[in-house]
Each structure stands twice: as C-alpha cells, then as structure tokens.
Amino acid sequence: MIKKRLKIYAENSVISAYHFAPRLIVAATRRFFEKAIREKYELFTSDVTIAELEKANREVREKSLKVIETFDVKVVSMAVEARNLADEYIKRGVIPARYRPDAEHIAVASALGFDVLTNWNLAHIVKLKTKRMVRIMNEELSYQVREIVRPDEV
C-alpha cells in the first residue's frame, strides 16, 4: 500500500508561533514542524500569510520568513476561485468581514484541496461553529471537506 503524503496548509499564526507565542504554544509549534519533517508532510502557506507578515514588525517578519525557508513551506497564490470562496464565507457569516484574511486562509486551503489547515486562531478558525459551517458550505459548493486543526492535533 502506498502512503499518501499529507498536504498541510500552515497559516500565519502557525508560522509566527515558531518564535512568537506563549512558551507552550512555541513548544507545540516546534514539535509540529519537527514531525512534518520526520513524516515528510508537504507544507504550504499562501500569499495571504506573506501579506500579513509584511505588516508585522521587522523581527517577526524576518524570523517567520526564515521558518518558511527552513521548513521548505511552499507559498501558493490565492486564485480568483479562493477569493470568491472567501467572499462567500464572509457573506454567510462563517468569518466576520473584519477578519477577511482568516476567510482567505480557509478558502485557499479548501480551493486547493489541502488535507489539513493548521491554525492557532481559536477565536475564528479552530472552533466547532466555524468547522461545521465550512464543512457544510464546502460540501454544498463541491469542495472536498478538509480538516481544520491546531498544529498539536496533527
């Protein structure tokens, strides 16, 4: 039996938590990246993350970009399809409009068919209501249902 490589989307909160988070989150994030290497997961992020990092202070931006480089996290572009899906998540109340990048992260992961979206955002993304609404919408719009989890759940 051939084992499929897990394709994981790591958004900004995961990338930056390698260095900048409470101690337990940093430790869990580092274990996630170590496991990703050991298990040969394919890691991805998007230009949404890069845009968020551009707004961060210099130290956060530089260290986070170094994490992307060190762990060979591939950066994908948010296509029109994902942009439209993000609009739909906001329109239907999955994510509040003022947190558009959160909707964009979910949309990129859904539109590109990643197996897992990892995130430390427990307020808007990694919570039961959001997971259920994304699952329902994705099924309705013919996107495969994906997992949304914290990095320590991978």
Side-chain angles (χ1 to χ4, degrees), residues 19-20 53 56-66:
H19 293 290
F20 304 99
L53 290 174
N57 72 51
R58 183 177 169 198
E59 181 183 17
V60 170
R61 180 175 55 252
E62 288 177 358
K63 285 188 174 185
S64 296
L65 290 171
K66 187 68 174 169

Side-chain angles (χ1 to χ4, degrees), residues 24 36 116 147 149:
L24 293 175
V116 178
E147 298 295 325
V149 299

